[in-house]
Amino acid sequence: MEDKKSHTIYLVKTAEVEGHIYDIDNKRVQAQTYIVQKGDSLWRILKKKRLLNQSKPAELRSILRQLNKSLPNLDLIYPGQQIVIPLRITSLPPHSV
């Protein structure tokens, strides 16, 4: 009688995180660098990334200011300029004391 051996194979898929992670105002922000194209506006970019539907405008504006401290005016961006845009914003759990 032939001795049969069995083997177990585990497949693991590793998630790749796009961009960088920041902690801002009790939020975890996944963000990426974006190069502004002709015809872009910051709000059009965020709409295309579907972030306007996920966040409150005041919260989003605050996060954008902190990610892009070198921009004096969020409404004035130019082609070729590098900006940091959030991809996902999640609330951090409160710290237990």
Side-chain angles (χ1 to χ4, degrees):
M1 207 161 133
E2 192 176 309
D3 188 22
K4 293 185 179 183
K5 293 182 181 181
S6 64
H7 298 281
T8 304
I9 298 173
Y10 296 97
L11 301 175
V12 178
K13 183 175 183 179
T14 304
E16 291 184 26
V17 176
E18 182 181 358
H20 301 282
I21 305 293
Y22 301 88
D23 289 339
I24 299 172
D25 296 335
N26 294 322
K27 308 271 187 244
R28 173 121 327 132
V29 180
Q30 180 183 352
Q32 74 175 154
T33 301
Y34 178 86
I35 298 175
V36 178
Q37 304 297 309
K38 185 177 180 180
D40 275 346
S41 73
L42 189 57
W43 307 107
R44 187 176 297 146
I45 295 165
L46 296 174
K47 185 176 180 182
K48 186 169 52 173
K49 299 283 184 181
R50 299 177 190 243
L51 195 68
L52 291 178
N53 302 337
Q54 300 174 22
S55 304
K56 297 175 186 167
E59 173 187 76
L60 187 56
R61 184 173 281 279
S62 173
I63 289 170
L64 283 165
R65 284 188 200 281
Q66 291 182 59
L67 290 173
N68 297 283
K69 292 180 179 178
S70 64
L71 287 180
N73 184 343
L74 293 175
D75 295 318
L76 292 176
I77 58 175
Y78 303 97
Q81 190 175 28
Q82 288 189 10
I83 59 174
V84 180
I85 57 168
L87 300 174
R88 181 175 295 135
I89 301 169
T90 54
S91 295
L92 291 174
H95 295 289
S96 56
V97 179

